Amino acid sequence: MAERTDRHENAAARYFAAWNAAGPEAVAKAVAAAWAPDGGYTDPLADVRGHEQIAAVIAAAHEQFPGFVIRPLGAVDGHHDTARFGWELVNEADGSAPVAGFDVITLDAEGRIRQVLGFLDRVPADA
């Protein structure tokens, strides 16, 4: 049985803050707050390491989906140094959510993300 802790919740909140930050400086600052310096991000479309590369993946998503925010779906589920959570990419103008998935994260001793393993459950055909 999984345990839900503030540590997991806080890490997920920082993760969402990084994805929803506006502008390069805000994204860089939020990524640094969420990820360990050598942290990684892997999903079907990206496999990167380090703050600069993670920020570039986020910037590319912002370019592809302007006016969208990433929002949690359900609760954060975690144990030890690992957590998982669902999310969806929501159009702020009309509420549509063309992209959804879930991520598994591992945390360092300070609660920052060491690695994200992302899975896409719903992706538009033209993406």
Side-chain angles (χ1 to χ4, degrees), residues 76-105:
V76 176
D77 183 24
H79 61 83
H80 298 90
D81 291 335
T82 306
R84 66 180 177 167
F85 48 84
W87 53 266
E88 63 183 352
L89 193 63
V90 179
N91 183 321
E92 291 187 293
D94 66 14
S96 64
V99 181
F102 76 92
D103 292 346
V104 177
I105 62 174

